[in-house]
Amino acid sequence: MTESVNFNVIGTIDSPYKEKFAIPRQPGLVTAAQGQLRLTGSANNIELVRGLEQFSHIWLLFVFHGTQEQGWKPLVRPPRLGGNKKLGVLATRSTFRPNPIGMSVVKLDRIEQKDSQVILHINELDLLDGTPIVDIKPYVPYADIVPTATAGYAQEKPTTSMAVVFNTIAIQHLAIFSSDYKDLKQLIIQVLEQDPRPAYKHDKLDTRVYGMVLYNLNIQWQVNEQSTIEVTGILKVKENPDSV
Ligand code: SAM
């Protein structure tokens, strides 16, 4: 009986999501999220993806490298259930699994070879920057869509109940950065609409100023009324905190 298997990483993700906080819970929820998958090692060979451009979407199988070291738990609290009900980890899409393997369907925009680097341009991802990829498969609708499928507590897309507004300063900051980051405004809106705060904060008075990192930008925001998030500033993340 095989008790363990060893996989080689075949690619790495470049993502606007530089930290776990505020990454959407599934792909497709934030359509403005654009990233790249760079093939690595012996998999960095254009022949491996010959024909893949015929598919609009692909499956990515990856390692939850950002939480891998924390190990796994038999029971977890899905955010969809408000974070206060425990379910078996295998009944959820939690990152804290016996094998930290994730799977996401993403949109395949185009495939490029730049110098000797093969790059898959992908959209709508839910992956942390630097995520190691262990497999890529074409998404095949006739097999992968099950129209009669039921999904218990996760039957419907999470509702996006938050309105997102930008104050005057944030509008000025957006104007500075929008030319460097395509669809930046849409990305910020779509991420914040999901209300990235922990579930227990949702129905409480919350005066905290939050920060989230997208690309190399620190987006600052707060909850104004129960259902409005106000973006208050967009600052470049300091590359070296010791430099002035
Ligand atoms: N679509 C995948 C799946 O179903 O296997 C991931 C679902 S999981 C609920 C989504 C969360 O995983 C994101 O909100 C983000 O916080 C986290 N995540 C994404 N990439 C990760 C990584 N490389 N390491 C750790 N956590 C990651």
Side-chain angles (χ1 to χ4, degrees):
M1 196 178 78
T2 306
E3 290 193 342
S4 74
V5 285
N6 231 330
F7 289 137
N8 293 320
V9 171
I10 64 161
T12 307
I13 293 290
D14 295 329
S15 165
Y17 303 120
K18 305 296 177 191
E19 56 182 20
K20 264 196 74 195
F21 179 60
I23 303 182
R25 288 193 207 130
Q26 285 299 341
L29 296 173
V30 172
T31 54
Q34 300 167 10
Q36 284 100 44
L37 192 174
R38 279 178 290 112
L39 296 184
T40 50
S42 54
N44 183 29
N45 175 345
I46 195 74
E47 290 187 352
L48 269 76
V49 288
R50 188 191 296 169
L52 192 63
E53 72 288 344
Q54 298 169 48
F55 295 86
S56 64
H57 290 75
I58 53 177
W59 281 107
L60 300 182
L61 301 180
F62 60 92
V63 175
F64 287 116
H65 75 304
T67 45
Q68 192 178 6
E69 282 189 0
Q70 295 170 49
W72 63 281
K73 306 177 228 180
L75 293 171
V76 295
R77 297 171 193 269
R80 284 299 287 273
L81 298 176
N84 48 29
K85 194 172 170 206
K86 287 188 178 175
L87 287 184
V89 66
L90 300 184
T92 77
R93 303 291 277 259
S94 166
T95 64
F96 300 104
R97 336 182 56 77
N99 292 311
I101 296 173
M103 49 189 275
S104 293
V105 175
V106 296
K107 202 158 180 281
L108 177 62
D109 188 18
R110 66 195 164 92
I111 299 173
E112 175 189 26
Q113 184 164 22
K114 205 173 173 185
D115 303 323
S116 56
Q117 179 63 63
V118 181
I119 305 170
L120 277 59
H121 293 266
I122 55 173
N123 294 337
E124 310 190 358
L125 68 167
D126 61 344
L127 305 175
L128 184 63
D129 192 47
T131 295
I133 301 296
V134 289
D135 202 5
I136 301 168
K137 294 176 199 280
Y139 179 81
V140 180
Y142 85 83
D144 295 340
I145 296 174
V146 184
T148 53
T150 56
Y153 68 92
Q155 185 74 34
E156 304 294 337
K157 256 187 178 185
T159 47
T160 53
S161 52
M162 303 305 272
V164 181
V165 296
F166 292 72
N167 76 6
T168 321
I169 294 170
I171 290 171
Q172 289 168 6
H173 290 168
L174 249 188
I176 297 170
F177 295 118
S178 285
S179 55
D180 288 340
Y181 304 97
K182 194 169 159 263
D183 297 335
L184 178 62
K185 185 175 182 189
Q186 265 320 96
L187 179 63
I188 295 171
I189 292 174
Q190 291 180 357
V191 167
L192 291 180
E193 274 174 348
Q194 312 285 323
D195 196 348
R197 295 174 300 158
Y200 72 91
K201 291 266 193 188
H202 286 185
D203 298 320
K204 299 216 175 81
L205 179 68
D206 186 1
T207 52
R208 185 177 156 181
V209 177
Y210 289 87
M212 65 177 184
V213 181
L214 297 175
Y215 298 110
N216 66 343
L217 301 173
N218 187 349
I219 321 292
Q220 292 169 348
W221 53 276
Q222 58 194 105
V223 179
N224 268 357
E225 292 140 27
Q226 288 290 8
S227 57
T228 307
I229 288 181
E230 182 179 35
V231 182
T232 54
I234 303 171
L235 305 170
K236 258 211 152 122
V237 174
K238 278 192 193 148
E239 268 164 31
N240 177 358
D242 298 331
S243 68
V244 183

